[in-house]
Amino acid sequence: MNATTKLAVTFVVMAMVGCAMGPSKEETAAKASAMLKTSFKANGQAGLDRLDQDETQRVCSALDGNAPSKEVAERIEKLNLATIKDPADGKFLGDWKNGEKIAQEGRGKQFSDDPAGPVGANCYACHQLAPQELSYGTIGPSLYQFAKLRGYGVDTQRYAYGKIYNPDAYAACSNMPRFGHNGILTEQQIKDVTALLMDPASPVNK
Amino acid sequence: MDAERMDRGRRAVLKQGGGATLLALVAAAGWLRPEVAGAQAQAQAWNKAAFDTHNMAETMQALGGGEPAQSKDIVFFQTPDIAENGAVVPIGITSNIPKTESIAILVEKNPNMLAAVFDIPAGTEPSVTTRIKMGQSSNIYALVKADGKYYVAAKDVKVTLGGCGG
Amino acid sequence: MADPMKIRANVTGDTTEVKVLMSHEMETGQRKDAQGKTIPAWFIQSVTATWNGNTVLAAQWGPAVSKNPFLSFKFKGGAKGDKVLITWVDNRGDKRTDEATIA
Amino acid sequence: MRTFVAPGMGTLLGAALLATALGGAAVAPALLAQSSAVDEIAKYRAALQDGNPAELWEARGEGIWKQKRGPKQASLEQCDLGLGPGVVKGAYAQLPRNFADADRVMDLETRLLWCMATLQGFSDADSRKQLFGNGNERKSDMEAIVAYVTSESRGVPMNVGLANPKAAEMYRIGERIFYFRGGPHDFGCVTCHGDDAKRIRLQDLPNLTTKEGAQKAYTTWPAYRVSQGELRSFQWRLYDCFRQQRFPELVFGSDASIALTMFLARNANGAPFDAPAIKR
């Protein structure tokens, strides 16, 4: 992140505050950040460094849940697109059966989780995938028939892999975790989940 | 619809219980006598054998008795088709059979089938509400003893788990 | 020492409705603690309700009754001011009796 | 059968589930299955309302409130929850608020810690020994007292004021914390609670950015959680949300917890308080 873009972000934030009385939103955000630091304690794998926001988190937090402007979105997406590393062997698809397990697994990265224990993507918390699973969430869109509707080609595979790796590369300030960029899932796990979406044999595409 | 559901429940019972059928369940209602007074006497009367059974056949053997008749006069109320959490499943059972003496709750797929037995003395309405644990989706049986005879009805209850992270 | 029950008894016409909440773990004996040790079973085995010395309900429970049990039933009779007594005994031999005044 | 299931329209299992509910009736539309499941879960929740074990906590909490405890052998009956010493009725509906004696904005739990220290002489370490029940015999006195005090505001409209500058600032900071995204998953409160009609798995998520959503959610905490067999305070609610957000551990009674509570409580203004509730 260079100084120019930081200034640009500051400008955007200030512009949104407008001529409101009292402290600016940015000042309040700074107070909130400082308060958070004194209000949490490190526990197991969850250290206080988790409260240090990167540029994407900071910009997205200032949006109050609204969509970013076109300019901000483009910048955030560019920033995040640059982080995506394609699989070393060039193959985007792993084992969809493993992918299904990862999609069901809700544990991982919580201070209450065993650091050596499973880390999942918990896809079903937010998305419909395989139709056999009735208990799915709706924070994200339904991914049922993901490839059946979009095609099974390598470009779609690359997109699916990249979207799991870093969704902010395609939709700035997405609600979805950046599973690859933030080291939540391994490359193999991302390939497995990609296969759950893309493999013609996956229940998702039935 | 109820009849069909019960019929399916009955088939499941028969399949598990084999030739012994529901004989034993029947006695479930018989173990408790209203005149048993005093908590200590009751504690001693607790039917360990019946509560320790792990499938229908064992439960039957532990209890002994005659085969109960399917009854449409046993009604589940406040009992959901789907329980959000198996730790607490509300169960309400009313018997419209005259001279009901006791009501028992059994959960087919629980490790121990028998959950509870309620003796209904004369003057008490043959209707109880409580909450039970269910390890998984299962049939629930309401077993009623009335005028020395035994009756049963079944209801299928699905258990969902959910939430994030865990 | 177990916490008191919460008992409500209300008469409407000639019928008294009793609702009881009991404070009890109702441990099944099938769960394991963090160290992998089985947590011993601990549950209410019997419940008796009396009104004017008459038993109005008697129950035997297994560990499949939910934690902090709830029980509701109705009996004929009962007048405002009468006492309803509920007693439970668990598998450790702990016992608790509480009473409510019919309202 | 699968060919009848369109994307986003429920599931095979859903259809099977409905078919079961109908006693083996013919295949029904999957969409209907989903709504049927949701309706049935609504019935389940309704059935739980009849007897709420939270009452056991309320009774125990009232006992603890009135009991002489601590080095000073005093009860909490003279604790000032904002409406004057000893006034419990309706106090929770106006919290958090600024307390001049402490020169700090406090929520109920923080104020209770204050009263335990000042009235009863408990050390901070002693009063923090069991802030949350652990799901078995080790029950929390704090959660019991919270159950009692909040039950005394049942039916009272939420009325959290921001006239005090400190209170107003806490509200603004709480709002920023609500939108603060961080941790390995980029989660913030807003991730799950910023839109209408969303679910995690089958659990409905209140939209806390709307008045209706904030009112419905805030006025139904504390709650007896049937999945845990425990009564849970609002401090616990925030603690466990942040745990699942993959944040570090929220300190009980910390300023951030109070700021966020202030934001949510104030947004619930006008709605009658209706807790302790009972939830899955």
Side-chain angles (χ1 to χ4, degrees):
Chain A
M1 176 93 300
N2 60 43
T4 318
T5 45
K6 253 184 197 154
L7 275 174
V9 174
T10 307
F11 177 76
V12 169
V13 171
M14 300 273 285
M16 292 194 308
V17 172
C19 56
M21 297 289 284
S24 72
K25 194 160 106 178
E26 200 187 31
E27 282 166 11
T28 308
K31 281 185 181 170
S33 282
M35 188 182 279
L36 285 167
K37 287 278 170 61
T38 62
S39 295
F40 284 81
K41 58 185 177 194
N43 184 340
Q45 58 181 311
L48 287 177
D49 58 336
R50 290 191 177 183
L51 299 170
D52 295 329
Q53 292 177 309
D54 72 2
E55 185 64 14
T56 300
Q57 290 172 335
R58 189 159 45 242
V59 170
C60 296
S61 297
L63 296 171
D64 294 4
N66 298 312
S69 70
K70 192 164 172 283
E71 291 74 21
V72 171
E74 280 175 2
R75 200 170 52 75
I76 293 293
E77 285 164 15
K78 195 178 160 202
L79 191 70
N80 282 283
L81 191 63
T83 71
I84 298 176
K85 294 188 189 72
D86 282 354
D89 63 1
K91 296 192 178 88
F92 292 107
L93 303 193
D95 176 357
W96 69 260
K97 286 178 185 148
N98 242 347
E100 167 70 12
K101 283 182 199 142
I102 295 162
Q104 292 280 5
E105 178 60 63
R107 286 170 295 181
K109 302 286 182 190
Q110 299 167 126
F111 62 71
S112 52
D113 292 326
D114 177 359
V119 177
N122 209 11
C123 309
Y124 283 102
C126 300
H127 295 283
Q128 182 187 30
L129 291 113
Q132 287 80 0
E133 179 53 83
L134 177 69
S135 179
Y136 61 85
T138 59
I139 293 171
S142 171
L143 302 176
Y144 177 55
Q145 296 192 326
F146 182 87
K148 197 170 184 179
L149 298 169
R150 292 170 181 78
Y152 295 92
V154 73
D155 285 348
T156 314
Q157 292 179 12
R158 179 178 288 108
Y159 164 72
Y161 179 92
K163 180 87 185 179
I164 299 163
Y165 195 100
N166 191 338
D168 285 54
Y170 305 91
C173 302
S174 165
N175 280 330
M176 183 168 151
R178 294 173 286 175
F179 289 103
H181 175 60
N182 281 338
I184 301 164
L185 300 180
T186 64
E187 180 184 289
Q188 186 58 49
Q189 283 183 303
I190 297 173
K191 288 165 77 164
D192 291 344
V193 177
T194 306
L196 180 66
L197 294 173
M198 293 299 304
D199 195 315
S202 162
V204 168
N205 293 315
K206 295 297 174 184
Chain B
M1 159 178 155
D2 276 346
E4 170 136 20
R5 191 188 302 166
M6 272 187 297
D7 193 43
R8 288 186 306 114
R10 179 178 149 87
R11 278 201 302 273
V13 172
L14 292 175
K15 196 173 151 198
Q16 285 208 9
T21 67
L22 282 172
L23 212 76
L25 289 181
V26 169
W31 333 309
L32 286 179
R33 278 174 289 279
E35 65 267 25
V36 173
Q40 205 174 359
Q42 267 192 58
Q44 284 164 358
W46 192 71
N47 192 334
K48 184 173 190 308
F51 279 101
D52 273 355
T53 55
H54 302 291
N55 59 52
M56 189 59 89
E58 285 178 25
T59 314
M60 291 170 175
Q61 196 164 8
L63 302 179
E67 182 176 352
Q70 303 291 322
S71 175
K72 289 179 183 173
D73 293 321
I74 303 170
V75 182
F76 286 93
F77 65 97
Q78 279 204 1
T79 309
D81 289 351
I82 303 175
E84 199 172 11
N85 195 292
V88 178
V89 183
I91 305 285
I93 297 168
T94 296
S95 167
N96 294 317
I97 304 166
K99 298 183 183 173
T100 291
E101 295 159 32
S102 73
I103 298 172
I105 304 170
L106 295 90
V107 184
E108 185 177 10
K109 290 187 181 166
N110 269 7
N112 301 304
M113 275 199 70
L114 185 61
V117 191
F118 299 88
D119 259 19
I120 311 290
T124 295
E125 290 191 5
S127 177
V128 290
T129 307
T130 189
R131 292 165 186 174
I132 59 163
K133 297 169 198 154
M134 292 179 68
Q136 57 180 304
S137 298
S138 172
N139 264 323
I140 293 180
Y141 300 106
L143 180 80
V144 170
K145 181 186 181 190
D147 200 17
K149 295 197 182 72
Y150 296 89
Y151 305 87
V152 71
K155 179 179 170 71
D156 189 40
V157 175
K158 302 274 177 211
V159 174
T160 71
L161 292 172
C164 41
Chain C
M1 181 61 192
D3 285 327
M5 287 175 246
K6 193 86 188 177
I7 307 169
R8 285 211 176 84
N10 290 293
V11 62
T12 313
D14 65 345
T15 303
T16 299
E17 182 174 33
V18 183
K19 292 182 179 182
V20 191
L21 282 162
M22 306 170 201
S23 180
H24 205 284
E25 291 302 313
M26 301 301 288
E27 191 62 58
T28 60
Q30 292 173 7
R31 296 196 312 153
K32 289 189 164 53
D33 65 15
Q35 284 74 44
K37 269 178 53 188
T38 300
I39 305 170
W42 181 29
F43 58 95
I44 293 173
Q45 290 186 320
S46 70
V47 180
T48 340
T50 59
W51 158 68
N52 286 353
N54 305 308
T55 299
V56 287
L57 193 78
Q60 286 194 11
W61 287 355
V65 171
S66 300
K67 179 174 177 175
N68 298 317
F70 173 71
L71 168 66
S72 153
F73 64 96
K74 292 175 184 172
F75 66 89
K76 288 267 186 296
K80 283 190 187 1
D82 286 0
K83 303 279 190 212
V84 172
L85 264 71
I86 311 280
T87 297
W88 59 249
V89 182
D90 69 20
N91 66 322
R92 292 181 181 174
D94 287 343
K95 174 183 167 179
R96 169 133 209 136
T97 299
D98 290 288
E99 66 172 36
T101 304
I102 297 175
Chain D
M1 186 165 157
R2 277 179 186 166
T3 53
F4 292 111
V5 184
M9 285 190 60
T11 69
L12 257 184
L13 182 62
L17 212 133
L18 183 71
T20 306
L22 293 174
V27 176
L31 181 63
L32 192 55
Q34 260 290 318
S35 69
S36 162
V38 170
D39 286 353
E40 279 303 320
I41 285 175
K43 277 189 211 164
Y44 169 82
R45 291 173 188 160
L48 289 182
Q49 300 306 316
D50 196 27
N52 184 351
E55 287 185 33
L56 299 166
W57 271 255
E58 293 168 24
R60 192 162 63 87
E62 184 174 5
I64 298 168
W65 179 264
K66 292 174 176 170
Q67 189 189 341
K68 290 187 169 62
R69 302 194 316 157
K72 294 187 183 174
Q73 279 301 295
S75 76
L76 287 169
E77 287 166 298
Q78 289 306 304
C79 181
D80 182 355
L81 298 172
L83 303 181
V87 181
V88 181
K89 194 96 201 155
Y92 189 68
Q94 296 188 29
L95 290 171
R97 69 192 302 151
N98 186 63
F99 286 88
D101 55 3
D103 192 27
R104 188 185 173 199
V105 175
M106 293 169 152
D107 66 346
L108 172 61
E109 290 91 323
T110 328
R111 189 61 183 173
L112 290 172
L113 289 174
W114 166 271
C115 287
M116 287 175 192
T118 56
L119 296 177
Q120 301 182 309
F122 280 115
S123 71
D124 196 49
D126 277 346
S127 52
R128 286 175 175 270
K129 263 183 187 151
Q130 194 85 44
L131 294 168
F132 305 136
N134 67 350
N136 61 32
E137 291 171 69
R138 295 227 308 277
K139 289 181 179 138
S140 162
D141 288 350
M142 174 61 78
E143 283 175 333
I145 300 168
V146 164
Y148 163 62
V149 172
T150 56
S151 75
E152 290 288 306
S153 282
R154 196 183 291 280
V156 178
M158 289 299 303
N159 182 21
V160 176
L162 298 182
N164 180 283
K166 276 202 166 94
E169 179 173 51
M170 284 298 257
Y171 177 89
R172 286 194 303 269
I173 293 174
E175 181 178 30
R176 287 299 98 216
I177 292 172
F178 181 86
Y179 290 109
F180 184 96
R181 298 181 58 175
H185 285 58
D186 299 336
F187 287 157
C189 308
V190 66
T191 311
C192 288
H193 297 292
D195 270 314
D196 288 335
K198 297 290 186 191
R199 309 192 310 238
I200 284 187
R201 292 279 184 165
L202 286 177
Q203 268 72 59
D204 295 323
L205 297 164
N207 180 354
L208 300 177
T209 65
T210 66
K211 190 160 190 67
E212 303 72 42
Q215 287 180 330
K216 201 177 161 201
Y218 192 81
T219 58
T220 54
W221 282 95
Y224 180 79
R225 291 293 297 269
V226 302
S227 52
Q228 303 171 19
E230 286 282 4
L231 182 127
R232 294 309 191 187
S233 60
F234 200 69
Q235 278 284 336
W236 178 89
R237 176 61 284 173
L238 297 182
Y239 168 94
D240 207 53
C241 274
F242 279 119
R243 179 183 67 84
Q244 293 175 88
Q245 277 174 234
R246 275 73 181 172
F247 276 41
E249 185 182 340
L250 182 66
V251 174
F252 192 96
S254 59
D255 280 338
S257 71
I258 297 166
L260 191 50
T261 303
M262 174 59 99
F263 176 66
L264 297 169
R266 164 73 184 195
N267 290 349
N269 263 8
F273 185 72
D274 193 23
I278 182 167
K279 294 171 190 271
R280 67 169 178 94

